[in-house]
Amino acid sequence: GEPMEFEETIPLPAGTLSFITEKFPVRGADGRIWAVGGFCTETTLQNRRAEESFAIERERARVTLNSIRDGILSTDVDGVVLMLNPAAEALLGKKSLEAAGLPLDKVLSISGLPKASQASRLVREGAVSEVTASVHERCDFKSADGSIRRGLISAAPVRDRNGRTIGSVLSLRDMTELETANEALDHALQETQTIMKAIPDIFYRLDA
């Protein structure tokens, strides 16, 4: 009784082709439908190009994600883990398939943040933020070998085309070696300054 539009695939001698099909009723002078008209617009080539483009972008994203040295964790809007990149697997000692479906706090154990559900708090705050990188905090986290490591963690919301939050991405950077090196450098500088302050007195005593 009214126009319709839909996508369909039709097996034809040239192969299975994709179409956008539109159909509509044809009414007589008395208003009764006496026929159905329609036309098809072939979209096979466009669909194939879109699929190829999507596959290329997906592979580029996969390679980029796997090459990042920071641990990347993806969650849904409820804080359930969807995937880990290889760096996160190495940091946390869990495979992505093993972690998928678990609550974030079961995968990433953080201390030093103010609430009991620390990692999930970051996701919640990230979900309501208007900026891309919403949360940026230092933290201590339990590593794959059970030791406590110093980290820098951030969370950012993932939104669909309508702006609705559908999940979160967390980035975890192991800062242990860098901060240890910085502390050693600060200690060495303090010792040097102490020695330099004492040098004039040492020369004075030698002269005496």
Side-chain angles (χ1 to χ4, degrees):
E2 59 185 19
M4 299 177 63
E5 179 180 295
F6 50 90
E7 296 184 20
E8 61 181 345
T9 56
I10 304 175
L12 298 170
T16 300
L17 304 181
S18 301
F19 296 89
I20 293 179
T21 299
E22 297 190 42
K23 294 185 178 181
F24 51 90
V26 179
R27 300 178 184 273
D30 58 0
R32 289 187 299 177
I33 298 172
W34 64 274
V36 173
F39 56 88
C40 298
T41 303
E42 186 186 351
T43 59
T44 308
L45 182 59
Q46 294 93 319
N47 288 349
R48 287 175 181 170
R49 286 176 176 171
E51 290 172 0
E52 290 173 1
S53 177
F54 177 75
I56 290 171
E57 290 304 316
R58 185 171 183 175
E59 177 63 10
R60 181 177 287 113
R62 185 190 68 81
V63 172
T64 301
L65 189 65
N66 289 348
S67 65
I68 294 174
R69 298 180 65 182
D70 292 348
I72 303 297
L73 302 88
S74 175
T75 78
D76 65 13
V77 72
D78 296 317
V80 175
V81 174
L82 301 177
M83 59 79 63
L84 311 178
N85 75 336
E89 292 180 335
L91 281 174
L92 304 176
K94 288 183 175 63
K95 293 295 183 181
S96 185
L97 289 177
E98 175 189 357
L102 295 177
L104 181 58
D105 291 311
K106 296 291 186 182
V107 177
L108 175 58
S109 178
I110 300 177
S111 60
L113 293 180
K115 293 184 180 179
S117 185
Q118 302 97 333
S120 293
R121 177 180 65 81
L122 292 173
V123 172
R124 289 193 299 272
E125 292 182 2
V128 300
S129 174
E130 296 297 327
V131 296
T132 302
S134 58
V135 181
H136 222 88
E137 298 190 29
R138 293 191 177 276
C139 65
D140 294 335
F141 68 94
K142 185 179 291 186
S143 67
D145 60 7
S147 63
I148 300 300
R149 309 284 291 180
R150 301 175 190 174
L152 181 65
I153 189 169
S154 62
V158 178
R159 297 188 174 96
D160 63 17
R161 64 178 63 187
N162 297 318
R164 183 174 61 93
T165 301
I166 58 174
S168 182
V169 171
L170 287 89
S171 173
L172 178 64
R173 177 172 297 180
D174 189 348
M175 303 289 289
T176 308
E177 280 72 24
L178 179 60
E179 292 194 0
T180 300
N182 286 339
E183 289 173 358
L185 179 60
D186 289 341
H187 182 68
L189 288 174
Q190 291 176 2
E191 286 188 340
T192 301
Q193 290 173 354
T194 301
I195 292 172
M196 293 298 292
K197 290 178 181 178
I199 284 177
D201 187 49
I202 292 173
F203 277 119
Y204 173 79
R205 291 180 182 178
L206 288 175
D207 290 341

